Amino acid sequence: MSTRPEFFRGLVLAAATALLLNNTALAETATSRPAAGPPSVADLAEGLLDAVVNISISQNVKSDDDDAPMPQVPEGSPHQEFFDEFFKGQGGESNRPRTVNSLGSGFIIDPAGFIVTNNHVIQDADDIEINFSDGSKLKAKLVGTDTKTDLALLKVEPKKPLKAVSFGDSRKIRIGDWVMVVGNPFGLGVSVSVGVVSARGRNINAGPYDSFIQTDAAINRGNSGGPLFNMQGEVIGINTAILSQTGMSVGIGFAVPTELAMNVVNQLKEFGETRRGWLGVRIQPVTDDIAESLKMERPHGALVSGIIEGGPIAKGEIKAGDIITRFDGTDVAEIRDLMRAVGESAVGKKVDVVIIRDGKEQTVHVTLGRLEDGEHLADVQTKPNGEGAKPNEPPAAQLPATDVVLGMKLAVLDADRRKSFGIADDVDGVVVTEVQPNSAAAERRVAVGDVIVEVGQEAMDTPEDVSARVEELKSDGRRNALLMIANKTGELRFVTVRVE
């Protein structure tokens, strides 16, 4: 009986020793084993490479030096052949245009031969050639382009169906998800790079519909137009731009998301052009000052600064000064949200638009027009009418003005001042005849000849109206006055001017 405790103590000691030795061996094994990286994308890439193509373009351009005299080289000079070859290739004696070649990437979306790429890859090309992974080549024709999203659709005529890839839903990707870039960097041939999604919805001021996917997967010159794949082998973006001072990847690349690209590509395929919705309004951001002047809790929405004549807004459904906060069920946090939502809507669609007018929210109903038609109307209406002060007329500043408000000398917009400043007949309000340096108005770039149409969302007819409304806003505790200002041609904008 006396030996039993010793027996059990021996068993416990042996077990503890064995466990310690086992853990030590595991630790040594883990230390000697190389660290594992992410799963290989070899199988994924192998099934997709045939759908990615190299795009070669050529463009005939006239040399800037075609009219310059050609350097004279003595006959028989040892360098004569090099001079002859160089200058004849640049136009020289034969006066032929030189050929510029460039390379980019693209991918097949239809076995029948439809290929997506960037517009800037094929822009101004005289000849487009598609190089496939098996070494074959086909001439391509341009189906259509969209400069606003930098997309283009090409078509080749293959003898047999081509390997194609499909679009995925870019809205499902998350920051940190793995992605794969396939393209033709530096014209070396198809190559693969892998990274993660660094950010979404990036605005790099490349166009009105910026909402780029940002990735740290290497994107270099020549990758433009190539696909950005998710780990299911679906295209979720079209590689478009890099942020770099050297033109080489620094880990910040941008791709057009498929949620934006798919509608554009489908329209190009069906119509050969885009057909975007159009609301027919001019808009500007709702700044902190504008939000404060309108007693908004926070700045959001898009401020309507003007209505395009001949557009969808024909019965005053929306007016200058309204703030659009929701469009067809989509919240409008900033003007970019409104531009995208309208542009992605069908032409002729009837939509509900939520606006704030005079501090109250209301819903109006609008039938959309077509943006491509509306752009011409907008350009025509913003061009100067050609009327202005003639050389033999007295300067506008010599005309007597009345009150000085917020650093501006103001006057009634009568016939003489309208003629002197060249202000269009359909512009009404109070004309600015002088802006004092370093004043509140000068800070907001109010200029002589501008017309104050509204102050604090109330129409102005005389300088006294402006003075009274500004004093009213001061008494109400406002720090800024919201001014609707028209230029000489009638184009409207909103500015906030300090009243303190």
Side-chain angles (χ1 to χ4, degrees):
M1 296 294 293
S2 61
T3 61
R4 180 169 293 182
E6 296 296 332
F7 173 74
F8 283 112
R9 278 198 296 271
L11 287 178
V12 171
L13 180 60
T17 302
L19 180 62
L20 177 61
L21 291 173
N22 185 51
N23 288 342
T24 302
L26 289 174
E28 291 176 352
T29 301
T31 302
S32 61
R33 181 186 302 152
S40 172
V41 297
D43 291 337
L44 177 65
E46 186 177 10
L48 300 173
L49 293 181
D50 288 345
V52 180
V53 300
N54 297 344
I55 299 176
S56 173
I57 74 148
S58 61
Q59 177 186 2
N60 295 324
V61 296
K62 185 178 180 180
S63 172
D64 294 336
D65 298 325
D66 280 352
D67 296 329
M70 179 179 173
Q72 298 299 312
V73 182
E75 191 69 28
S77 168
H79 303 294
Q80 181 180 1
E81 59 179 311
F82 300 107
F83 274 85
D84 290 345
E85 180 180 354
F86 176 79
F87 283 101
K88 286 180 180 179
Q90 298 295 315
E93 295 174 341
S94 62
N95 201 30
R96 292 178 300 177
R98 62 189 177 94
T99 300
V100 176
N101 298 296
S102 65
L103 290 170
S105 303
F107 57 98
I108 304 165
I109 61 167
D110 189 318
F114 286 97
I115 297 171
V116 173
T117 186
N118 283 145
N119 175 61
H120 76 258
V121 170
I122 52 83
Q123 190 172 15
D124 299 324
D126 294 309
D127 188 59
I128 304 173
E129 188 172 65
I130 307 300
N131 306 304
F132 298 90
S133 59
D134 62 1
S136 62
K137 299 180 180 182
L138 287 175
K139 296 292 184 181
K141 68 175 183 178
L142 180 63
V143 177
T145 64
D146 178 44
T147 57
K148 292 181 174 60
T149 55
D150 193 22
L151 294 177
L153 185 65
L154 308 176
K155 180 68 168 66
V156 295
E157 300 298 335
K159 294 181 179 180
K160 61 181 181 178
L162 301 174
K163 169 70 176 180
V165 290
S166 59
F167 286 121
D169 190 350
S170 60
R171 294 171 296 185
K172 294 182 180 179
I173 64 169
R174 300 180 301 165
I175 296 174
D177 280 347
W178 287 100
V179 288
M180 182 175 71
V181 169
V182 182
N184 178 35
F186 305 110
L188 299 174
V190 175
S191 68
V192 174
S193 59
V194 178
V196 297
V197 174
S198 307
R200 296 183 54 188
R202 285 296 199 212
N203 180 9
I204 60 174
N205 296 316
Y209 306 111
D210 277 17
S211 185
F212 288 100
I213 299 170
Q214 180 182 322
T215 177
D216 67 351
I219 298 176
N220 287 291
R221 293 185 184 275
N223 275 119
S224 290
L228 180 71
F229 290 106
N230 61 19
M231 291 297 102
Q232 288 73 49
E234 300 169 324
V235 178
I236 56 167
I238 295 93
N239 305 317
T240 298
I242 59 175
L243 184 62
S244 171
Q245 294 181 340
T246 63
M248 292 184 285
S249 175
V250 294
I252 302 179
F254 302 97
V256 179
T258 54
E259 61 189 282
L260 182 62
M262 284 179 62
N263 187 46
V264 172
V265 171
N266 289 336
Q267 289 186 359
L268 293 178
K269 189 175 181 180
E270 183 176 358
F271 307 114
E273 60 184 1
T274 55
R275 298 185 178 181
R276 290 189 171 94
W278 179 51
L279 192 56
V281 297
R282 295 188 180 93
I283 54 177
Q284 67 180 73
V286 178
T287 63
D288 291 336
D289 289 342
I290 290 176
E292 186 274 333
S293 68
L294 296 175
K295 292 188 174 180
M296 298 175 64
E297 293 183 0
R298 58 183 177 85
H300 67 286
L303 177 60
V304 178
S305 60
I307 307 296
I308 308 296
E309 294 182 12
I313 309 300
K315 300 178 181 179
E317 301 95 332
I318 298 176
K319 299 179 180 179
D322 291 344
I323 296 178
I324 299 175
T325 59
R326 193 170 178 83
F327 175 87
D328 196 24
T330 300
D331 290 331
V332 179
E334 56 181 350
I335 59 174
R336 198 162 49 117
D337 297 330
L338 179 62
M339 295 174 70
R340 283 193 57 193
V342 175
E344 293 176 1
S345 300
V347 177
K349 183 178 181 180
K350 296 181 179 180
V351 297
D352 293 338
V353 182
V354 179
I355 62 172
I356 297 176
R357 180 182 295 169
D358 299 327
K360 298 179 181 179
E361 186 176 275
Q362 56 183 285
T363 301
V364 297
H365 312 286
V366 180
T367 300
L368 298 180
R370 184 185 175 195
L371 175 63
E372 290 76 9
D373 297 332
E375 287 176 332
H376 175 69
L377 283 175
D379 289 342
V380 170
Q381 292 178 28
T382 55
K383 287 181 180 179
N385 58 11
E387 296 180 358
K390 297 179 181 179
N392 59 349
E393 290 181 339
Q398 293 182 4
L399 295 171
T402 53
D403 296 355
V404 177
V405 183
L406 302 177
M408 301 176 290
K409 285 188 178 181
L410 307 175
V412 173
L413 183 56
D414 55 22
D416 289 339
R417 292 188 178 91
R418 189 181 297 277
K419 181 179 179 181
S420 177
F421 286 110
I423 298 171
D425 293 338
D426 59 351
V427 177
D428 294 313
V430 180
V431 65
V432 178
T433 60
E434 183 179 332
V435 179
Q436 297 176 344
N438 303 319
S439 64
E443 288 179 356
R444 296 303 186 184
R445 298 183 180 180
V446 179
V448 172
D450 283 344
V451 177
I452 299 176
V453 180
E454 291 183 0
V455 176
Q457 296 187 306
E458 290 189 6
M460 299 289 108
D461 295 319
T462 67
E464 291 75 20
D465 292 339
V466 178
S467 298
R469 182 57 175 153
V470 169
E471 291 302 319
E472 184 180 347
L473 294 173
K474 285 182 180 180
S475 301
D476 196 27
R478 305 286 183 91
R479 293 181 298 175
N480 298 285
L482 180 64
L483 276 57
M484 180 193 288
I485 295 179
N487 64 12
K488 297 176 183 180
T489 65
E491 186 175 356
L492 299 175
R493 73 182 190 278
F494 286 86
V495 298
T496 54
V497 181
R498 291 183 294 106
V499 298
E500 297 176 332

